[in-house]
Structure formats: C-alpha cells, structure tokens
C-alpha cells in the first residue's frame, strides 16, 4: 500500500498548461501502476492516463491524447501529469491512483487514491 498526495492544480486560461504531481510514500513505488482520473461535478470519474513501470507502458484517455503526458520519477517517488492546451472541459478534480496488480482504465481496479487537486480552466 502507498499513500498518495496530489498537488499542482489551479486556475488557468484555455490554451495554458499545468503540471500535476503525485507524491507517494512507500519503498516499492517503482513496482506500482500509477494512474490519473478526473471527476467533474455531476459526472462520473473519468480515466485520464496510466503508466506501468517504464515509458513503454502508457495509456491515455481519448479526450486527452495528444495534449496530456504522464511520467514518473522513481527516485523521487513521484508521478506527473503534464497538461498542455487545456480546455474548459478539462475542469475537474484530478485524482492520483495506484495499484500493485492492475494496469487498467477502470477506476475500481485501483487500490490506493489521493485526495484530489482541483483544475479549473477558464475560457
């Protein structure tokens, strides 16, 4: 099990960029699949991105493909979500998630979750 804390959210103008960070505690961080989900008011939680162990194992949601990039720094126990060309529809609370056994787009397959960080994109 790992503990996750997201940061880096805020208010940006459409077309701008943000980088979210998820700091994890635990000695076995490098063995976990890390993922990002988001949830807007009144909507279900949506898959954003996931990364298994290396850059060769990456998934991106269709709505963010070409704009968002997931990466991780195992030495710092941190996973990142670089968000470029942000759109108002990207406004949501973004959550970091982790799993020892799953590499999936389904939120119910992940065991550990952060508290979320708000991203608001103005038009």
């Amino acid at each position: 099990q790992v503990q996750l804390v997201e940061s880096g959210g805020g208010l940006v103008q459409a077309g701008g960029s943000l980088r979210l960070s998820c700091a994890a505690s635990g000695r076995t961080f490098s063995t976990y699949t890390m993922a990002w989900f988001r949830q807007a008011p009144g909507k279900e939680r949506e898959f954003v991105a996931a990364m298994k162990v290396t850059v060769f194992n990456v998934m991106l949601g269709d709505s963010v493909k070409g704009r968002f990039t997931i990466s991780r720094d195992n030495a710092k126990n941190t996973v990142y979500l670089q968000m470029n060309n942000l759109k108002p529809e990207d406004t949501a609370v973004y959550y970091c998630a982790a799993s020892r056994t799953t590499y999936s787009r389904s939120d119910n397959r992940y065991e550990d979750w952060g508290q979320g960080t708000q991203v608001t994109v103005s038009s």
Side-chain angles (χ1 to χ4, degrees):
Q1 183 177 340
V2 295
Q3 292 74 48
L4 308 173
V5 180
E6 302 98 332
S7 62
L11 175 64
V12 298
Q13 192 172 0
S17 298
L18 282 175
R19 189 178 77 163
L20 305 184
S21 299
C22 175
S25 62
R27 296 177 295 171
T28 59
F29 171 78
S30 63
T31 69
Y32 281 70
T33 293
M34 304 298 299
W36 290 94
F37 293 82
R38 66 187 184 185
Q39 187 168 26
K43 297 183 178 180
E44 293 185 344
R45 193 152 50 192
E46 176 188 15
F47 173 78
V48 176
M51 186 171 188
K52 194 174 182 179
V53 178
T54 71
V55 295
F56 299 103
N57 302 104
V58 172
M59 296 188 296
L60 292 172
D62 291 340
S63 63
V64 304
K65 193 172 298 181
R67 299 187 297 121
F68 291 11
T69 302
I70 186 172
S71 62
R72 65 194 296 168
D73 186 338
N74 290 335
K76 296 182 178 180
N77 287 343
T78 301
V79 63
Y80 304 96
L81 184 69
Q82 179 66 47
M83 306 185 295
N84 299 323
N85 192 24
L86 283 161
K87 303 176 180 180
E89 51 263 42
D90 296 318
T91 296
V93 177
Y94 283 71
Y95 296 92
C96 179
S99 175
R100 297 189 306 274
T101 61
T102 299
Y103 185 53
S104 175
R105 298 171 180 264
S106 299
D107 57 357
N108 61 4
R109 304 294 183 91
Y110 290 82
E111 299 95 43
D112 302 307
W113 292 82
Q115 82 290 343
T117 185
Q118 177 71 47
V119 172
T120 302
V121 184
S122 61
S123 59

